[in-house]
Amino acid sequence: MFNALMDGDGSFSGGWTYSTSSKKLADNFQELLLKIGYSCSISNSRGDEYVVSINRKSTTPFLNCGQDCEGRSWEDYRGEVYCLEVPNHTLYVRRNGKACWCGNSDPPMNWRLSTLDKLALVSNSDSHSSWPWRIGREANVFELERLTYQEVIDAIRKRDPTRFKFTIETDPAYGKYHWTGHRNCNVSLSPQEAIKLGNRCPVCHKRLTKGVEQRVEELADRPMGFKPEGAIGYLHLLPLSEIIGTVFGITYPGVQKVWSIYNSLVARFGDEYTVLMDAPKEEISKIVDPKIAEAIVRVREGRVKITPGYDGVYGQLVIFEEKKEAPPLEKVKQRSITDFLL
Ligand SMILES: [Zn+2]
């Protein structure tokens, strides 16, 4: 496609460029370039012609804060706020004509990159489908004297752990591209294993589809598990309906059996987060199957295993393994919620 378009309206003299009178075509061409590993910018100086300048070398992502990064100031914002999510957690974002791939990440991933230390990390509702039970599965937890915009924004800006207590996260291992692998060959590899194999599939010997964790490994300048001084803590949770569904082996939680249990728990404890984070196991067991109580506590304490997603295959939650002792999380060991409180 690239060659055909360049044969038509492209120019290889000097810097590579592509010209068109169609804005839509210029936009599509920009997306195509990003997909084949080039970056580009679009100019429209003559009004009726869009010139796409192709950059074949400078394709490494960087934090675009230039030299004045330290001098930046906060500005209050009063417009609309959007939450965007797509199934593979990878977004195509364009700002001021510059396009890049962008993805959802987890605090432990961000902590490994020292250039991100100056940013306050927040986690907002990650709802990549129309199912309401996924709304609010990621959140920021504050403890404020007064619930006002100023108090919230001030706690974030100052990264004050007495007011900005922690964030709630969905484990990124659920993502469809967390590990490196080949869906058709049934091959799923950790970054270390993939690198050892030269990123070649041990079955078909073709290049593997690289996962997010391996990309983090490439960008990171700190070891796995590193936590910067003063970073706000986090807790991995899952929607209650999905925990109940998993206990019964139900993959789609929108069924009556799941919701009747869900509603009885919320009615007893007040809201879903209280059930997930605070409700005592014995109290939960009084109104629902003790196996559900056990599952809720295991998620709360990070004592569940997630088989990471790879090459388009979703990650899977394993709450109960046949072994007597549940193994600790393989990657970042999760702490109890009380570790985040004073
Ligand atoms: Zn393969």
Side-chain angles (χ1 to χ4, degrees):
M1 174 71 85
F2 171 76
N3 289 337
L5 285 163
M6 287 300 284
D7 281 348
D9 294 313
S11 164
F12 291 103
S13 62
W16 291 6
T17 55
Y18 175 79
S19 306
T20 170
S21 60
S22 161
K23 184 176 184 303
K24 179 101 174 70
L25 182 55
D27 288 347
N28 291 342
F29 191 62
Q30 184 176 43
E31 188 179 339
L32 171 70
L33 288 170
L34 204 65
K35 283 178 174 163
I36 60 172
Y38 296 152
S39 65
C40 76
S41 57
I42 302 175
S43 62
N44 178 222
S45 50
R46 276 200 274 152
D48 58 347
E49 188 183 41
Y50 295 87
V51 179
V52 184
S53 304
I54 303 163
N55 190 335
R56 287 167 289 156
K57 288 183 186 151
S58 178
T59 54
T60 310
F62 62 95
L63 211 60
N64 190 14
C65 53
Q67 292 169 337
D68 65 340
C69 206
E70 296 307 317
R72 287 192 169 197
S73 60
W74 286 86
E75 215 173 282
D76 289 346
Y77 176 74
R78 297 196 181 277
E80 300 271 341
V81 177
Y82 299 90
C83 175
L84 187 63
E85 179 56 89
V86 292
N88 68 1
H89 297 263
T90 309
L91 313 172
Y92 176 74
V93 177
R94 192 171 67 168
R95 192 165 180 229
N96 298 333
K98 306 277 193 301
C100 68
W101 296 116
C102 173
N104 297 97
S105 58
D106 206 40
M109 290 174 165
N110 296 312
W111 292 341
R112 296 187 62 193
L113 191 56
S114 59
T115 51
L116 299 178
D117 285 355
K118 56 184 169 289
L119 304 177
L121 301 175
V122 292
S123 186
N124 294 306
S125 183
D126 171 36
S127 181
H128 63 67
S129 66
S130 51
W131 309 122
W133 54 83
R134 287 192 159 169
I135 291 173
R137 67 181 186 166
E138 301 210 315
N140 308 289
V141 179
F142 297 98
E143 203 169 289
L144 305 170
E145 286 202 359
R146 287 185 316 131
L147 187 58
T148 63
Y149 170 80
Q150 278 309 330
E151 279 271 315
V152 171
I153 201 71
D154 194 59
I156 295 173
R157 284 172 182 169
K158 292 184 178 151
R159 283 182 268 175
D160 174 4
T162 62
R163 290 182 293 164
F164 187 1
K165 306 301 270 189
F166 58 96
T167 60
I168 293 172
E169 315 278 341
T170 300
D171 195 307
Y174 287 106
K176 286 160 89 177
Y177 293 90
H178 190 65
W179 269 16
T180 298
H182 262 180
R183 180 180 199 151
N184 292 339
C185 303
N186 236 343
V187 169
S188 171
L189 301 164
S190 70
Q192 293 74 16
E193 291 169 317
I195 291 164
K196 217 185 280 174
L197 294 169
N199 292 321
R200 293 277 161 190
C201 173
V203 177
C204 72
H205 305 293
K206 288 185 184 153
R207 186 171 280 278
L208 291 160
T209 306
K210 196 187 285 178
V212 175
E213 193 157 282
Q214 193 170 339
R215 186 66 184 134
V216 170
E217 196 66 46
E218 290 169 2
L219 294 172
D221 55 0
R222 288 166 172 165
M224 190 181 274
F226 183 91
K227 186 180 177 190
E229 185 102 14
I232 300 294
Y234 73 96
L235 184 68
H236 277 160
L237 283 184
L238 280 171
L240 179 56
S241 55
E242 291 186 20
I243 298 173
I244 298 167
T246 304
V247 170
F248 293 121
I250 299 167
T251 47
Y252 174 73
V255 295
Q256 188 58 38
K257 184 174 182 181
V258 170
W259 286 102
S260 64
I261 295 168
Y262 176 97
N263 289 333
S264 63
L265 284 168
V266 169
R268 164 69 180 79
F269 296 102
D271 60 74
E272 181 171 338
Y273 278 138
T274 303
V275 177
L276 291 172
M277 297 195 293
D278 304 319
K281 188 175 153 187
E282 307 70 50
E283 295 298 313
I284 302 173
S285 300
K286 281 182 190 165
I287 49 171
V288 296
D289 185 334
K291 219 173 164 191
I292 292 169
E294 175 66 22
I296 291 168
V297 172
R298 284 191 185 199
V299 170
R300 183 187 297 170
E301 295 176 352
R303 290 188 292 120
V304 292
K305 198 180 152 200
I306 294 149
T307 310
Y310 66 99
D311 197 20
V313 179
Y314 275 114
Q316 278 191 335
L317 170 67
V318 184
I319 298 181
F320 298 108
E321 285 194 303
E322 292 312 308
K323 295 172 202 159
K324 263 270 180 257
E325 288 273 306
L329 265 187
E330 283 169 5
K331 289 170 269 106
V332 182
K333 193 174 179 305
Q334 194 174 30
R335 301 183 304 170
S336 136
I337 191 165
T338 50
D339 290 333
F340 299 102
L341 306 174
L342 290 174

